[in-house]
Coordinates of all heavy atoms in Angstrom, one line a residue:
M607 N 199.9 70.4 160.9 CA 199.2 69.6 159.9 C 199.0 70.4 158.7 O 199.2 70.0 157.5 CB 197.9 69.0 160.5 CG 197.3 68.1 159.5 SD 198.2 66.5 159.5 CE 196.9 65.4 159.8
R608 N 198.5 71.7 158.8 CA 198.2 72.5 157.7 C 199.5 72.9 157.0 O 199.5 73.0 155.7 CB 197.5 73.8 158.2 CG 196.1 73.6 158.5 CD 195.5 74.9 158.8 NE 194.1 74.7 159.2 CZ 193.4 75.5 159.9 NH1 193.9 76.7 160.2 NH2 192.1 75.2 160.2
T609 N 200.6 73.1 157.7 CA 201.9 73.4 157.1 C 202.4 72.2 156.2 O 202.8 72.4 155.1 CB 202.9 73.7 158.2 OG1 202.5 74.8 159.0 CG2 204.3 74.1 157.5
A610 N 202.2 71.0 156.7 CA 202.6 69.8 156.0 C 201.8 69.7 154.7 O 202.3 69.4 153.6 CB 202.5 68.6 156.8
A611 N 200.5 69.9 154.8 CA 199.6 69.8 153.7 C 199.9 70.9 152.7 O 199.9 70.6 151.4 CB 198.1 69.9 154.1
S612 N 200.2 72.1 153.1 CA 200.6 73.2 152.2 C 201.9 72.9 151.5 O 202.0 73.1 150.3 CB 200.7 74.5 153.0 OG 201.1 75.5 152.2
L613 N 202.9 72.4 152.2 CA 204.1 72.1 151.6 C 204.0 71.0 150.6 O 204.6 71.0 149.5 CB 205.1 71.6 152.7 CG 206.5 71.3 152.3 CD1 207.2 72.5 151.5 CD2 207.4 70.9 153.4
S614 N 203.2 69.9 151.0 CA 203.0 68.9 150.0 C 202.3 69.3 148.8 O 202.6 68.9 147.7 CB 202.1 67.8 150.7 OG 201.8 66.7 149.8
A615 N 201.3 70.2 148.9 CA 200.6 70.8 147.7 C 201.6 71.6 146.9 O 201.5 71.5 145.7 CB 199.4 71.6 148.2
H616 N 202.4 72.3 147.5 CA 203.4 73.1 146.8 C 204.4 72.3 146.0 O 204.7 72.5 144.8 CB 204.2 74.1 147.7 CG 205.2 74.9 147.1 ND1 204.9 75.9 146.2 CD2 206.6 74.8 147.1 CE1 206.0 76.5 145.7 NE2 207.0 75.8 146.2
V617 N 204.9 71.2 146.6 CA 205.8 70.3 145.9 C 205.1 69.6 144.7 O 205.6 69.5 143.6 CB 206.3 69.2 146.9 CG1 207.0 68.0 146.2 CG2 207.2 69.8 147.9
E618 N 203.8 69.2 144.9 CA 203.1 68.6 143.8 C 202.8 69.6 142.7 O 203.0 69.2 141.5 CB 201.7 68.1 144.3 CG 201.8 66.8 145.2 CD 202.4 65.6 144.5 OE1 202.0 65.4 143.3 OE2 203.2 65.0 145.0
A619 N 202.6 70.8 143.0 CA 202.3 71.8 141.9 C 203.6 72.2 141.2 O 203.5 72.6 140.0 CB 201.7 73.0 142.6
S620 N 204.7 72.0 141.8 CA 206.0 72.4 141.2 C 206.6 71.3 140.3 O 207.6 71.6 139.7 CB 207.0 72.9 142.2 OG 207.4 71.9 143.1
K621 N 206.1 70.2 140.3 CA 206.6 69.1 139.5 C 206.5 69.4 138.0 O 205.4 69.9 137.6 CB 205.9 67.7 139.8 CG 206.2 67.1 141.0 CD 205.5 65.7 141.1 CE 205.8 65.0 142.4 NZ 205.1 63.7 142.4
E622 N 207.5 69.2 137.3 CA 207.4 69.4 135.8 C 207.4 68.1 135.1 O 208.2 67.1 135.5 CB 208.6 70.2 135.4 CG 208.6 71.6 135.8 CD 209.7 72.5 135.2 OE1 210.1 72.1 134.0 OE2 210.2 73.4 135.8
L623 N 206.7 68.0 134.1 CA 206.7 66.8 133.3 C 208.0 66.7 132.5 O 208.5 67.8 132.0 CB 205.5 66.8 132.3 CG 204.1 66.6 132.9 CD1 203.0 66.8 131.8 CD2 204.0 65.2 133.4
P624 N 208.5 65.5 132.3 CA 209.6 65.4 131.4 C 209.3 65.7 130.0 O 208.1 65.6 129.6 CB 210.1 63.9 131.6 CG 208.9 63.2 132.1 CD 208.0 64.2 132.8
G625 N 210.2 66.0 129.2 CA 210.0 66.3 127.7 C 209.4 65.1 127.0 O 209.8 63.9 127.3
Y626 N 208.5 65.3 126.1 CA 207.9 64.2 125.3 C 209.0 63.6 124.4 O 209.7 64.4 123.7 CB 206.7 64.7 124.5 CG 205.8 63.7 124.1 CD1 205.2 62.8 124.9 CD2 205.5 63.6 122.7 CE1 204.3 61.9 124.5 CE2 204.6 62.6 122.2 CZ 204.0 61.8 123.1 OH 203.1 60.8 122.7
P627 N 209.2 62.3 124.4 CA 210.2 61.8 123.5 C 210.0 62.1 122.0 O 208.9 62.1 121.5 CB 210.0 60.3 123.7 CG 209.3 60.1 125.0 CD 208.5 61.3 125.1
E628 N 211.1 62.5 121.4 CA 211.1 62.9 120.0 C 210.5 61.7 119.1 O 209.8 61.9 118.1 CB 212.4 63.3 119.5 CG 212.9 64.7 119.9 CD 211.9 65.8 119.5 OE1 211.5 65.8 118.3 OE2 211.5 66.6 120.3
D629 N 210.9 60.5 119.5 CA 210.4 59.3 118.7 C 208.9 59.3 118.7 O 208.3 58.9 117.7 CB 210.9 58.1 119.4 CG 210.4 56.8 118.7 OD1 210.6 56.8 117.4 OD2 209.9 55.9 119.3
C630 N 208.2 59.8 119.8 CA 206.8 59.8 119.8 C 206.1 60.8 118.9 O 204.9 60.8 118.6 CB 206.3 60.0 121.2 SG 206.7 58.7 122.4
R631 N 206.9 61.8 118.4 CA 206.4 62.8 117.5 C 206.6 62.5 116.0 O 206.0 63.1 115.2 CB 207.1 64.1 117.8 CG 206.8 64.7 119.2 CD 207.5 66.0 119.4 NE 207.4 66.5 120.7 CZ 206.3 67.0 121.3 NH1 205.2 67.2 120.6 NH2 206.3 67.4 122.5
R632 N 207.4 61.4 115.8 CA 207.7 61.1 114.4 C 206.5 60.5 113.7 O 205.6 59.9 114.3 CB 208.8 60.0 114.3 CG 210.2 60.6 114.5 CD 211.3 59.6 114.2 NE 210.9 58.5 113.3 CZ 211.3 57.3 113.4 NH1 212.1 56.9 114.3 NH2 211.0 56.4 112.5
K633 N 206.4 60.8 112.4 CA 205.4 60.3 111.5 C 206.0 59.2 110.6 O 207.2 59.3 110.3 CB 204.8 61.4 110.7 CG 204.1 62.4 111.5 CD 203.5 63.5 110.7 CE 202.8 64.6 111.5 NZ 202.3 65.7 110.7
E634 N 205.2 58.3 110.2 CA 205.6 57.2 109.3 C 205.1 57.5 107.9 O 204.0 58.0 107.7 CB 205.1 55.9 109.7 CG 205.9 55.0 110.6 CD 207.4 54.9 110.4 OE1 207.8 54.7 109.2 OE2 208.1 55.0 111.3
A635 N 205.8 57.1 106.9 CA 205.4 57.1 105.5 C 205.7 55.7 105.0 O 206.6 55.0 105.4 CB 206.1 58.1 104.7
S636 N 204.8 55.3 104.0 CA 205.0 53.9 103.5 C 206.2 53.8 102.6 O 206.8 52.7 102.5 CB 203.7 53.5 102.7 OG 203.6 54.3 101.6
G637 N 206.6 54.8 102.0 CA 207.7 54.7 101.0 C 207.4 54.1 99.7 O 208.3 53.8 98.9
V638 N 206.1 54.0 99.5 CA 205.6 53.4 98.2 C 206.0 54.4 97.1 O 205.7 55.6 97.2 CB 204.1 53.1 98.2 CG1 203.6 52.6 96.9 CG2 203.8 52.0 99.3
R639 N 206.5 53.8 96.0 CA 206.9 54.7 94.9 C 206.0 54.4 93.7 O 205.5 53.3 93.5 CB 208.3 54.4 94.4 CG 209.3 54.7 95.5 CD 210.7 54.4 95.1 NE 211.6 54.4 96.3 CZ 212.1 53.3 96.8 NH1 211.8 52.1 96.3 NH2 212.9 53.4 97.9
L640 N 205.7 55.5 92.9 CA 204.9 55.4 91.8 C 205.4 54.3 90.8 O 206.6 54.2 90.5 CB 204.8 56.7 91.0 CG 203.8 56.9 89.9 CD1 202.4 56.7 90.4 CD2 204.0 58.2 89.2
G641 N 204.5 53.4 90.4 CA 204.9 52.4 89.4 C 205.3 51.1 90.1 O 205.6 50.1 89.4
E642 N 205.5 51.0 91.4 CA 205.9 49.8 92.0 C 204.8 48.7 91.9 O 203.6 49.1 91.9 CB 206.2 50.0 93.5 CG 207.6 50.6 93.8 CD 207.9 50.6 95.3 OE1 207.0 50.8 96.1 OE2 209.1 50.4 95.6
P643 N 205.2 47.5 91.9 CA 204.2 46.4 91.9 C 203.3 46.5 93.2 O 203.8 46.9 94.2 CB 205.0 45.1 91.9 CG 206.3 45.5 91.3 CD 206.5 47.0 91.8
L644 N 202.1 46.1 93.1 CA 201.2 46.2 94.2 C 201.6 45.4 95.4 O 201.5 45.8 96.5 CB 199.8 45.9 93.8 CG 199.1 46.9 92.9 CD1 197.7 46.4 92.5 CD2 199.0 48.2 93.5
D645 N 202.2 44.2 95.1 CA 202.7 43.4 96.3 C 203.8 44.1 97.0 O 203.8 44.0 98.2 CB 203.1 42.0 95.8 CG 204.2 41.9 94.8 OD1 204.4 43.0 94.1 OD2 204.8 40.9 94.6
V646 N 204.7 44.7 96.3 CA 205.8 45.5 97.0 C 205.2 46.7 97.8 O 205.6 46.9 98.9 CB 206.8 46.0 96.0 CG1 207.8 46.9 96.6 CG2 207.5 44.8 95.3
A647 N 204.2 47.4 97.2 CA 203.6 48.5 97.8 C 202.9 48.0 99.1 O 202.9 48.7 100.2 CB 202.6 49.1 96.9
L648 N 202.2 46.9 99.1 CA 201.5 46.3 100.2 C 202.5 46.0 101.3 O 202.3 46.3 102.5 CB 200.7 45.1 99.9 CG 200.0 44.4 101.0 CD1 199.0 45.3 101.7 CD2 199.3 43.1 100.5
I649 N 203.6 45.4 101.0 CA 204.7 45.0 102.0 C 205.2 46.3 102.6 O 205.4 46.4 103.8 CB 205.8 44.2 101.3 CG1 205.3 42.8 100.9 CG2 207.0 44.1 102.2 CD1 206.2 42.0 100.1
R650 N 205.5 47.3 101.8 CA 206.1 48.6 102.4 C 205.0 49.2 103.3 O 205.4 49.7 104.4 CB 206.4 49.5 101.2 CG 207.6 49.2 100.5 CD 207.9 50.3 99.4 NE 208.9 49.9 98.5 CZ 210.2 50.2 98.7 NH1 210.6 50.8 99.7 NH2 211.1 49.8 97.7
T651 N 203.8 49.2 102.9 CA 202.7 49.8 103.7 C 202.6 49.1 105.0 O 202.4 49.7 106.1 CB 201.4 49.9 102.9 OG1 201.6 50.6 101.7 CG2 200.3 50.5 103.7
D652 N 202.6 47.7 104.9 CA 202.5 46.9 106.1 C 203.6 47.2 107.1 O 203.4 47.2 108.3 CB 202.3 45.5 105.8 CG 201.9 44.6 106.9 OD1 201.0 45.0 107.6 OD2 202.6 43.6 107.2
Q653 N 204.8 47.3 106.6 CA 206.0 47.5 107.4 C 205.9 48.9 108.1 O 206.2 49.1 109.3 CB 207.3 47.5 106.6 CG 207.6 46.0 106.2 CD 208.8 46.0 105.2 OE1 209.1 47.0 104.6 NE2 209.4 44.8 105.1
A654 N 205.4 49.9 107.4 CA 205.2 51.3 107.9 C 204.2 51.2 109.0 O 204.4 51.8 110.1 CB 204.9 52.3 106.8
L655 N 203.1 50.5 108.8 CA 202.1 50.4 109.8 C 202.6 49.7 111.1 O 202.3 50.1 112.2 CB 200.9 49.6 109.2 CG 199.7 49.4 110.2 CD1 199.2 50.8 110.6 CD2 198.6 48.6 109.4
G656 N 203.4 48.6 110.9 CA 204.1 48.0 112.0 C 205.0 48.9 112.8 O 204.9 48.9 114.0
R657 N 205.7 49.7 112.1 CA 206.6 50.7 112.8 C 205.8 51.7 113.6 O 206.1 52.0 114.8 CB 207.5 51.4 111.8 CG 208.6 50.5 111.2 CD 209.6 51.4 110.5 NE 209.0 52.1 109.4 CZ 208.9 51.7 108.1 NH1 209.2 50.4 107.8 NH2 208.3 52.5 107.2
A658 N 204.7 52.2 113.0 CA 203.8 53.2 113.6 C 203.1 52.5 114.9 O 203.1 53.2 115.9 CB 202.8 53.7 112.7
N659 N 202.7 51.3 114.7 CA 202.0 50.6 115.9 C 203.0 50.4 117.0 O 202.7 50.6 118.2 CB 201.4 49.3 115.4 CG 200.1 49.5 114.7 OD1 199.5 50.6 114.8 ND2 199.7 48.5 113.9
A660 N 204.2 50.0 116.7 CA 205.3 49.8 117.7 C 205.6 51.1 118.4 O 205.7 51.1 119.7 CB 206.5 49.2 117.1
R661 N 205.6 52.2 117.7 CA 205.8 53.5 118.3 C 204.7 53.9 119.2 O 204.9 54.4 120.3 CB 206.0 54.6 117.2 CG 206.3 56.0 117.8 CD 206.5 57.0 116.7 NE 207.7 56.6 115.9 CZ 207.6 56.2 114.6 NH1 206.4 56.2 114.0 NH2 208.6 55.8 114.0
V662 N 203.4 53.7 118.8 CA 202.3 53.9 119.7 C 202.4 53.2 121.0 O 202.2 53.7 122.1 CB 201.0 53.6 119.0 CG1 199.8 53.6 120.0 CG2 200.7 54.6 117.9
M663 N 202.8 51.9 120.9 CA 203.0 51.1 122.1 C 204.1 51.6 123.0 O 203.9 51.7 124.3 CB 203.3 49.6 121.8 CG 202.1 49.0 121.0 SD 200.5 49.0 121.9 CE 200.9 47.9 123.3
R664 N 205.3 52.0 122.4 CA 206.4 52.6 123.2 C 205.9 53.9 123.9 O 206.2 54.0 125.1 CB 207.6 52.9 122.3 CG 208.4 51.7 122.0 CD 209.7 52.1 121.4 NE 209.6 53.0 120.2 CZ 209.4 52.7 119.0 NH1 209.3 51.4 118.7 NH2 209.4 53.6 118.0
C665 N 205.3 54.7 123.2 CA 204.9 56.0 123.8 C 203.8 55.8 124.8 O 203.8 56.5 125.8 CB 204.4 56.9 122.7 SG 205.7 57.4 121.5
G666 N 202.9 54.8 124.6 CA 201.9 54.5 125.6 C 202.6 54.0 126.9 O 202.2 54.4 128.0
R667 N 203.6 53.1 126.8 CA 204.3 52.6 128.0 C 205.0 53.8 128.7 O 205.0 53.9 129.9 CB 205.3 51.5 127.6 CG 204.6 50.2 127.4 CD 205.6 49.1 127.3 NE 206.6 49.3 126.2 CZ 206.4 48.9 124.9 NH1 205.4 48.2 124.6 NH2 207.4 49.1 124.0
W668 N 205.6 54.7 127.9 CA 206.3 55.8 128.5 C 205.3 56.7 129.3 O 205.6 57.0 130.5 CB 206.9 56.7 127.4 CG 207.6 57.9 127.9 CD1 208.8 58.1 128.4 CD2 207.0 59.2 128.0 NE1 209.1 59.4 128.7 CE2 207.9 60.1 128.5 CE3 205.7 59.7 127.6 CZ2 207.7 61.5 128.7 CZ3 205.5 61.1 127.8 CH2 206.4 61.9 128.4
Y669 N 204.2 57.0 128.7 CA 203.2 57.8 129.4 C 202.7 57.1 130.7 O 202.5 57.7 131.8 CB 202.0 58.1 128.5 CG 200.9 58.8 129.2 CD1 201.0 60.2 129.5 CD2 199.8 58.1 129.7 CE1 200.0 60.8 130.2 CE2 198.8 58.8 130.4 CZ 198.9 60.1 130.6 OH 197.9 60.8 131.3
D670 N 202.4 55.8 130.6 CA 201.9 55.0 131.7 C 202.9 55.0 132.9 O 202.6 55.2 134.1 CB 201.6 53.6 131.3 CG 200.4 53.4 130.5 OD1 199.6 54.4 130.4 OD2 200.3 52.4 129.8
E671 N 204.2 54.9 132.6 CA 205.3 55.0 133.6 C 205.3 56.4 134.2 O 205.4 56.5 135.5 CB 206.6 54.7 133.0 CG 206.8 53.3 132.6 CD 208.1 53.0 131.9 OE1 209.0 53.9 131.9 OE2 208.3 51.9 131.3
I672 N 205.2 57.5 133.4 CA 205.1 58.8 134.0 C 203.9 59.0 134.9 O 204.0 59.5 136.0 CB 205.1 59.9 132.9 CG1 206.4 59.8 132.0 CG2 204.9 61.3 133.4 CD1 207.7 60.1 132.8
K673 N 202.8 58.5 134.4 CA 201.6 58.7 135.2 C 201.7 57.9 136.5 O 201.3 58.4 137.6 CB 200.4 58.1 134.4 CG 199.1 58.3 135.0 CD 198.0 57.8 134.0 CE 196.6 57.8 134.7 NZ 195.6 57.3 133.9
Q674 N 202.2 56.7 136.5 CA 202.3 55.9 137.7 C 203.3 56.6 138.6 O 203.0 56.6 139.8 CB 202.9 54.5 137.3 CG 203.0 53.6 138.5 CD 203.5 52.2 138.1 OE1 203.9 52.0 137.0 NE2 203.6 51.4 139.1
G675 N 204.4 57.2 138.1 CA 205.3 57.9 139.0 C 204.7 59.1 139.7 O 204.9 59.3 140.9
Y676 N 203.9 59.8 139.0 CA 203.2 61.0 139.6 C 202.1 60.5 140.6 O 201.9 61.1 141.6 CB 202.6 61.9 138.5 CG 203.7 62.8 138.0 CD1 204.6 62.5 137.0 CD2 203.7 64.1 138.5 CE1 205.5 63.3 136.6 CE2 204.7 65.0 138.1 CZ 205.6 64.6 137.1 OH 206.5 65.5 136.6
A677 N 201.4 59.5 140.3 CA 200.4 59.0 141.2 C 201.0 58.4 142.5 O 200.4 58.6 143.5 CB 199.5 57.9 140.5
G678 N 202.1 57.8 142.3 CA 202.8 57.2 143.5 C 203.7 58.2 144.2 O 204.3 57.8 145.2
G679 N 203.9 59.4 143.7 CA 204.7 60.3 144.4 C 206.2 60.1 144.1 O 207.1 60.7 144.7
V680 N 206.5 59.2 143.1 CA 207.9 58.9 142.8 C 208.1 59.6 141.4 O 207.3 59.5 140.5 CB 208.1 57.4 142.7 CG1 209.5 57.1 142.3 CG2 207.7 56.7 144.0
Q681 N 209.3 60.1 141.2 CA 209.6 60.7 139.9 C 210.8 60.1 139.3 O 211.7 59.6 139.9 CB 209.8 62.2 140.1 CG 209.7 63.0 138.8 CD 209.7 64.5 139.1 OE1 209.9 64.9 140.2 NE2 209.5 65.2 138.0

């Protein structure tokens, strides 16, 4: 029993996390240019915010899947 527990602990300790997706490291910019009308600036800013929020959701789902795999012993 101790050998099995020791082997199981060794396997768990040797698991490596997969690399963090590059997409999750990207930053967004609004792309607003000096002198643009405010309505255009608002649209650009809203679109950038939408892209950033979508990225947060994708990265959160990725992390949740990784966490679930490690908790369940599946990789």
Side-chain angles (χ1 to χ4, degrees):
M607 186 73 129
R608 286 185 183 162
T609 304
S612 175
L613 180 58
S614 177
H616 178 70
V617 168
E618 289 298 315
S620 66
K621 284 184 180 177
E622 288 188 34
L623 288 172
Y626 198 58
E628 285 301 314
D629 179 50
C630 294
R631 297 183 188 279
R632 279 190 29 216
K633 296 179 181 176
E634 265 323 311
S636 66
V638 174
R639 297 180 195 106
L640 187 61
E642 279 188 325
L644 291 179
D645 57 342
V646 173
L648 178 60
I649 290 169
R650 288 183 190 269
T651 302
D652 191 49
Q653 290 171 340
L655 182 59
R657 290 189 301 270
N659 286 338
R661 182 174 303 109
V662 167
M663 296 304 293
R664 282 192 307 275
C665 295
R667 281 192 302 271
W668 175 86
Y669 175 79
D670 290 343
E671 289 174 13
I672 296 299
K673 184 177 173 184
Q674 181 180 6
Y676 275 81
V680 180
Q681 196 171 6

